[in-house]
Amino acid sequence: MSRPSFQRVAMIGIGLINGSLALAMREAGLAGEIVACARREETRARALELGLCDRATADPADAVRGADLVVLGTPPAALGEVARAMAPGLDPAAIVTDVGSVKTMVVREVRPHLPDPRLFVGGHPVAGTEHSGPDAAFGTLFQNRRCILTPVEDTDPAAVAKLVALWETVGAKVDTMTPEHHDRVLAITSHLPHLCAYTIVGTVADLEEQVQSEVFKYAAGGFTDFTRIAASDPTMWRDVFLNNQEAVLEMIGRFMEDLVALQRAIRWGQGDILFDLFTRTRAIRRSVIQAGQAYERKPQLKDPEGEPDGEGVTGQL
Ligand code: NAP
């Protein structure tokens, strides 16, 4: 594996993902200098304190000046505007990538602002936690995780190769696919599960309020796991659903059909249908673990109920 090196890397947005990438790149010696861009003074100060960057600015054009690699890491809906704002400072030879969780919209919104759109390679590290901001960053986030790159027809192959090498060096396994294919796959593996978690936690919270039923006190492990996913960043997830509408709506339609089938099986006491499905899903869990995308979680001693603690567990966000 060849190790890429960059003289100056501009991180536009320096939260969980870009902060973690900055740390991982530093640890691997891939970046001469890292310049971060964020709107708020407190974000910039914290990024500097934590050693995520050497310099921080609020001006995207200033941040990218002299950079040979630019990584866009703001919430998805801001990426087009950020690309427009940074363009006047951008070196035409710089490679530009992003880490956004949706790809068709990002590729469409970012490319037109760049001096050489062929040097833009969409990217999505399929790794994350429910925490946000510079303090959430850690350098091992991408170890053994997937990173999807979404070049389009005229994307420069040398830029893609350099980014593949970058992500592999920080521990990720890289796949390439079209932005459209990415959005369809992620709609089912990530977006629908998040929507289910948001719905279930919302329903339970409403019940708790209405019937004062102490649901939270006696919440079993399943609900606790859902609350971790439903604690994910509201801005990012709003952007994901609004910008992957078509694929998400299709998956919701399929999910609702399957849910109604289960509802019917429960109503008519068709235990074999339930048993067959639960047996199939148990096997799927084993395949996911074998594919290296989840870990067996053992009950922790500190919890008398033997309930796993979801905090800090990385997932496919
Ligand atoms: P985050 O922790 O909230 O960080 C976002 C960063 O962007 C912050 O530094 C924020 O600082 C800055 N920012 C926000 N709006 C901005 C703007 N208009 N201009 C400049 N800076 C701006 O978010 P994250 O979780 O790292 O997510 C970043 C990207 O990674 C998103 O596109 C998301 O879809 C993708 N992603 C997230 C996960 C995950 O698990 N969280 C996983 C994979 C991919 P200020 O508020 O101070 O500006």
Side-chain angles (χ1 to χ4, degrees):
M1 178 175 54
S2 69
R3 286 166 69 85
S5 73
F6 299 93
Q7 281 182 355
R8 183 179 294 170
V9 179
M11 295 286 182
I12 312 297
I14 190 80
L16 167 67
I17 301 296
N18 263 7
S20 297
L21 183 58
L23 283 176
M25 287 185 76
R26 269 193 195 291
E27 278 157 25
L30 304 184
E33 187 191 11
I34 297 181
V35 182
C37 174
R39 297 161 307 175
R40 288 175 297 151
E41 169 57 30
E42 81 188 71
T43 311
R44 298 193 296 274
R46 202 61 195 127
L48 282 165
E49 265 165 34
L50 292 165
L52 307 182
C53 59
D54 303 293
R55 192 160 66 77
T57 169
D59 177 3
D62 178 31
V64 301
R65 208 158 276 123
D68 45 354
L69 174 68
V70 176
V71 186
L72 306 177
T74 69
L79 289 170
E81 174 52 29
V82 157
R84 192 196 58 74
M86 77 180 186
L90 195 63
D91 179 340
I95 295 175
V96 181
T97 187
D98 79 297
V99 293
S101 307
V102 286
K103 296 271 60 87
T104 310
M105 163 280 224
V106 169
V107 172
R108 187 182 62 230
E109 301 278 313
V110 169
R111 274 175 48 109
H113 298 294
L114 306 183
D116 186 351
R118 293 170 309 157
L119 294 178
F120 177 72
V121 186
H124 177 200
V126 188
T129 73
E130 68 278 28
H131 302 297
S132 306
D135 282 282
F138 57 102
T140 53
L141 176 61
F142 308 111
Q143 292 283 337
N144 295 318
R145 294 279 151 187
R146 299 270 164 193
C147 179
I148 300 172
L149 297 180
T150 61
V152 292
E153 217 168 33
D154 66 349
T155 307
D156 177 29
V160 178
K162 219 164 168 188
L163 287 173
V164 170
L166 161 60
W167 283 108
E168 285 181 352
T169 308
V170 299
K173 296 169 192 159
V174 182
D175 297 309
T176 56
M177 59 183 74
T178 64
E180 295 77 16
H181 187 67
H182 166 279
D183 287 354
R184 261 184 82 74
V185 171
L186 270 288
I188 188 67
T189 58
S190 171
H191 306 170
L192 184 63
H194 275 79
L195 196 72
C196 292
Y198 282 124
T199 313
I200 289 167
V201 174
T203 304
V204 173
D206 288 348
L207 277 175
E208 167 86 9
E209 210 168 88
Q210 281 164 19
V211 296
Q212 301 284 307
S213 60
E214 296 177 294
V215 180
F216 293 163
K217 191 167 163 195
Y218 298 111
F223 179 69
T224 309
D225 284 354
F226 278 120
T227 60
R228 181 182 68 79
I229 299 173
S232 301
D233 186 56
T235 307
M236 167 184 149
W237 282 98
R238 177 203 59 198
D239 291 359
V240 166
F241 291 119
L242 295 184
N243 290 291
N244 195 19
Q245 238 177 14
E246 200 180 318
V248 169
L249 288 176
E250 185 193 328
M251 297 310 166
I252 292 174
R254 285 174 178 235
F255 174 73
M256 280 166 53
E257 281 174 24
D258 293 343
L259 194 62
V260 169
L262 280 187
Q263 187 184 31
R264 186 179 305 115
I266 293 169
R267 185 181 309 288
W268 294 105
Q270 294 167 321
D272 52 333
I273 293 183
L274 301 179
F275 187 82
D276 286 352
L277 175 69
F278 302 163
T279 306
R280 205 150 53 86
T281 55
R282 195 176 225 191
I284 290 168
R285 168 73 184 167
R286 280 196 288 273
S287 315
V288 171
I289 290 171
Q290 273 161 15
Q293 292 301 295
Y295 306 102
E296 292 279 22
R297 285 160 58 179
K298 299 203 167 52
Q300 295 182 347
L301 287 178
K302 68 177 181 164
D303 184 339
E305 300 290 324
E307 186 179 292
D309 173 7
E311 283 290 300
V313 176
T314 59
Q316 299 195 29
L317 300 181

